[in-house]
């Protein structure tokens, strides 16, 4: 039987608190009620390539989770690991097919829609919207996102399955790349994204103190 090991957790995230993947793991830890230390890595200064971090994080990226003498990077691998060792409060569906679908959604959001991720970075959520309109490629990616989200959330559903799962936060964040930039999003999907961002753990992440970007007078937080 899988049980929570006694060793403490440390989660390494980006210093700007804009990584959607770090957010996903942060929310998972909070939802499961697992205490952890939070440490930041300045990606802009290349701190993830420095010897200490590179020796700890196999892929030299954030998030990276340290659990005792075990380290793990890549967000979906981390959330699945946490689900296995701490199953009492699940963040994935119990039904095997629904769980597979949730993981499919996570894998898709991490590997597709590149133009949308580039043109509507998460800075638009956590710092302020972009002033640039979507390119043709960005618009095509946004249209694909909306079409697939509508198929996953028919009839105004407010969660992917009967109960919440971590893939809901991942999908909501992708939709909010558009919502926070005032791009056109169907009202039902915008409401879904708003509700998912209303979860306490997401709100805690949104409220993090962020360093100013180059050219900013002071740090900014999303409203």
């Amino acid at each position: 039987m899988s049980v929570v090991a006694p060793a403490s957790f440390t989660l390494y995230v980006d210093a700007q608190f804009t990584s959607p993947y770090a957010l996903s793991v942060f929310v998972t830890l909070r939802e499961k009620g697992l205490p952890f230390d939070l440490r930041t890595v300045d990606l802009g200064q290349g701190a993830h390539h420095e010897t200490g971090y590179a020796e700890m994080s196999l892929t030299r990226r954030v998030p990276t989770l340290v659990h005792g003498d075990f380290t793990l990077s890549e967000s979906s691998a981390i959330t699945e690991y946490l689900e296995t060792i701490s199953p009492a409060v699940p963040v994935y569906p119990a039904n095997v097919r629904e769980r597979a679908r949730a993981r499919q959604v996570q894998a898709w959001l991490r590997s597709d829609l590149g133009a949308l991720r580039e043109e509507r970075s998460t800075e638009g959520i956590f710092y302020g919207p972009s002033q640039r309109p979507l390119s043709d490629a960005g618009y095509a990616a946004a249209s694909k996102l909306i079409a697939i989200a509508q198929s996953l959330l028919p009839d105004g559903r407010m969660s992917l399955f009967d109960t919440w799962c971590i893939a809901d936060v991942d999908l909501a964040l992708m939709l909010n790349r558009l919502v926070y930039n005032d791009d056109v999003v169907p009202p039902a999907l915008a409401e879904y994204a708003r509700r998912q961002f209303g979860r306490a753990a997401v709100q805690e992440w949104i409220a993090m103190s962020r360093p100013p970007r180059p050219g900013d007078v002071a740090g900014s937080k999303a409203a």
Side-chain angles (χ1 to χ4, degrees):
M1 179 182 295
S2 297
V3 296
V4 178
S8 61
F9 297 95
T10 300
L11 178 63
Y12 288 83
V13 304
D14 60 304
Q16 289 71 36
F17 298 103
T18 59
S19 166
Y21 315 117
L23 167 63
S24 188
V25 175
F26 179 89
V27 170
T28 295
L29 286 162
R30 282 288 190 252
E31 293 283 344
K32 287 181 171 294
L34 297 172
F36 63 97
D37 292 328
L38 186 66
R39 299 183 184 177
T40 60
V41 180
D42 193 335
L43 304 183
Q45 296 298 317
H48 51 308
H49 295 303
E50 293 177 359
T51 302
Y53 192 78
E55 290 177 347
M56 177 185 65
S57 176
L58 180 64
T59 56
R60 305 183 184 186
R61 303 210 291 181
V62 296
T64 289
L65 182 76
V66 179
H67 185 203
D69 61 356
F70 179 64
T71 64
L72 188 65
S73 55
E74 304 306 314
S75 58
S76 58
I78 297 171
T79 55
E80 289 177 23
Y81 171 72
L82 292 171
E83 186 79 341
T84 301
I85 66 169
S86 180
V89 181
V91 297
Y92 286 100
N95 178 276
V96 65
R97 291 187 175 182
E98 290 184 349
R99 190 182 318 128
R101 182 71 72 202
R103 288 169 171 163
Q104 178 189 30
V105 169
Q106 288 186 301
W108 167 60
L109 292 171
R110 286 156 172 73
S111 61
D112 197 4
L113 310 174
L116 178 58
R117 286 186 278 119
E118 180 179 349
E119 296 178 27
R120 292 294 182 261
S121 80
T122 50
E123 286 192 4
I125 297 174
F126 301 113
Y127 279 95
S130 171
Q131 302 302 313
R132 297 181 302 163
L134 287 169
S135 68
D136 290 345
Y139 181 80
S143 298
K144 181 178 181 179
L145 169 65
I146 288 170
I148 292 176
Q150 287 178 319
S151 72
L152 291 166
L153 298 162
D155 305 319
R157 287 180 61 101
M158 289 293 118
S159 62
L160 290 167
F161 310 104
D162 289 340
T163 57
W164 173 87
C165 76
I166 190 60
D168 281 304
V169 169
D170 294 339
L171 179 58
L173 186 139
M174 187 64 81
L175 289 166
N176 273 331
R177 292 173 186 264
L178 298 171
V179 172
Y180 276 66
N181 278 279
D182 292 326
D183 295 307
V184 176
V185 176
L189 292 183
E191 177 62 13
Y192 163 82
R194 185 192 69 79
R195 290 195 188 186
Q196 293 300 328
F197 263 38
R199 297 187 76 86
V202 180
Q203 285 295 304
E204 183 181 353
W205 182 268
I206 289 173
M208 293 290 185
S209 178
R210 293 178 169 81
R213 296 173 295 182
D216 287 347
V217 174
S220 165
K221 293 187 293 187

